[in-house]
Structure formats: C-alpha cells, structure tokens
Amino acid sequence: MKKYIPNLITLLNVLCGCVATVFAVSNQLEMAALFVFLGIFFDFFDGLAARVLNVQSELGVQLDSLADMITSGLVPGIVMFQLLGMSTSGGWNASDGAIFSFEGISGLLPFLGFLITLGSAYRLAKFNIDENQVSSFVGLPTPANALLILSLPLILLYQNNDALNGIILNEWFLIFMTVLSTYLLNANIELFALKFKTWNFKDNAVRYIFLIVSAVLLLTLKFLAVPFIIVFYVVASLLSNLGTSKS
C-alpha cells in the first residue's frame, strides 16, 4: 500500500489546484492563493514521501507535473488575467465584483495573463524529458513562479500601501511581470534545488543562506518579501554557478 501514498499526496495537490481555480475565476484571489500555497505544500511532500518510502515511479513523475500544471500553471494565469482586468477597469471593486467588459483592445488585454500558463506547460514538458534536473533546475520552477504571481494580490490586500497598489495595478507593470514570468520559466538559467543530500553547511551553504534570508524577509516585509525572495533565488544561483565554474 505504501507505493500509493506519494500519489495520493499528489492528488491532494490536484484537488487544491481545482479549488484554487474556482476561487481565482470568482476573483476571490486571497482564497485562491491559500489553496495554491497548500497545493505547493503537498507538491513538496509527495516527492519527499516517495524518496523516504523508496517508491519512486514514472507514474509519480508524470502525475506530479500534471498536478503542477493546474496548481502552479493554470491558477497563476487566471490570477494575472484578473489583475490585468482590474488594471483596465479601475481597480478591484470597480465593477462591484462583476466580470469586466471585453470590448476593444483593452478588453482583450487580460487574456495576455495566460502566457504564464502556456510558459508553465512548456516548462513542465521540458522538465519531464530532461534527466539532468535532479540537483538543480533549468529555469524557474513552476511553484516558485506561482508564488511570485500570487503574491501580487496579497500585497494589494495586506501591505496597505497606496504607492505599491498603484504599481501593481498598472497595466504596463503587469504586462512586464507576465513577460518576465514566462521568460524565467524557460530561461536557460541553472537554479539550485532545495534538496539536501547531507546536512553539513559546507555542501549546502547557498541553501542555508537562502532559507535564512528568506525567513528574515518574510518576517520583515510579509507578502512583499516574495518578489525579493525570487530575485534573491535567481541571483544566488547565478553567483553559485559562477563560483563553481571558477573552481
């Protein structure tokens, strides 16, 4: 029976993605974010369970990517769709929760958000056929990208900063974030994975530093910390790669 445990955890990720999709379509982005976070939690532990129980399988690999496609691919695309719609309709409550109009060029702009979903699908397909992405990733992992996109509505809701709100609900900023997100998912950049083969500091210095800095940023900046953590993740990976190549 133990071989079914990791797949059951993965299916919980799928369920969270489905629930998050419903909330995202309803423009309840806080609840969508909550279920995406929960899905990413299950996404981390399904692989861990498979390794601990020694029941890794090809089925588990494929199922994991299908789950990520929903939770970390489809939902971020819908959230960006909603944010782009808000940017063209005057803000979160501009239409009292009603679906915004799709008339004219500006009405088509929200659909640009689904570039994130397309980029996620392409990235996951590449990951499934790449046998080298074990101790590191090539391109930003879809869960990290999902956290980046889902942090935007949470910053709007909880940071209570008019300047930040103005930036996030600016259509050009959202277009930039959509393009940047899609690029990072498939960029030829090697990024370290948070997988510890040993617990000693020497072999995992970049991982320990990343976790410590991330914790400090989250405690001080709350949801605003997430974009900074993603930037730090990319920069730390590049510096680590540079140090490795020189040695």
Side-chain angles (χ1 to χ4, degrees):
M1 292 295 293
K2 68 179 184 179
K3 69 179 180 179
Y4 296 108
I5 293 175
N7 290 344
L8 177 61
I9 297 174
T10 305
L11 289 175
L12 290 175
N13 181 11
V14 175
L15 177 61
C16 287
C18 293
V19 175
T21 299
V22 173
F23 281 120
V25 170
S26 302
N27 208 18
Q28 299 181 56
L29 303 187
E30 181 182 13
M31 292 301 297
L34 173 63
F35 278 93
V36 167
F37 294 158
L38 188 58
I40 290 174
F41 172 82
F42 288 127
D43 182 45
F44 176 80
F45 278 100
D46 62 359
L48 180 62
R51 290 190 295 273
V52 169
L53 297 173
N54 195 27
V55 289
Q56 297 99 321
S57 67
E58 182 62 26
L59 173 62
V61 172
Q62 299 301 324
L63 187 60
D64 186 71
S65 288
L66 291 172
D68 282 348
M69 185 57 223
I70 300 171
T71 305
S72 299
L74 176 60
V75 178
I78 298 174
V79 169
M80 185 56 75
F81 172 92
Q82 296 285 16
L83 290 173
L84 284 164
M86 294 176 204
S87 74
T88 60
S89 64
W92 203 303
N93 299 316
S95 303
D96 296 324
I99 297 297
F100 33 81
S101 171
F102 298 121
E103 296 178 0
I105 298 299
S106 62
L108 297 177
L109 181 63
F111 291 97
L112 185 68
F114 288 112
L115 275 178
I116 296 171
T117 302
L118 300 181
S120 298
Y122 193 76
R123 193 234 183 279
L124 289 166
K126 287 198 303 179
F127 179 81
N128 278 7
I129 61 174
D130 190 345
E131 298 179 355
N132 296 320
Q133 295 190 56
V134 178
S135 60
S136 63
F137 299 109
V138 178
L140 189 66
T142 52
N145 186 66
L147 291 176
L148 174 63
I149 301 303
L150 269 295
S151 71
L152 299 179
L154 295 178
I155 293 170
L156 287 174
L157 285 167
Y158 291 106
Q159 298 296 140
N160 196 27
N161 186 298
D162 291 338
L164 285 174
N165 295 350
I167 293 172
I168 292 174
L169 288 178
N170 180 282
E171 61 186 72
W172 291 109
F173 171 79
L174 293 172
I175 292 171
F176 169 77
M177 287 299 298
T178 299
V179 174
L180 177 64
S181 166
T182 306
Y183 167 75
L184 287 176
L185 283 166
N186 294 284
N188 189 26
I189 303 173
E190 186 176 344
L191 305 172
F192 64 86
L194 286 174
K195 294 179 180 178
F196 292 81
K197 294 182 179 179
T198 65
W199 297 108
N200 68 75
F201 184 83
K202 183 179 179 181
D203 294 335
N204 300 286
V206 66
R207 294 175 178 85
Y208 280 120
I209 292 172
F210 172 75
L211 290 173
I212 293 169
V213 171
S214 297
V216 172
L217 288 173
L218 285 170
L219 288 172
T220 55
L221 299 178
K222 299 179 182 178
F223 293 111
L224 182 59
V226 177
F228 288 104
I229 290 172
I230 299 301
V231 171
F232 179 65
Y233 175 49
V234 174
V235 172
S237 295
L238 291 174
L239 292 176
S240 177
N241 296 339
L242 185 62
T244 303
S245 62
K246 285 184 177 180
S247 60

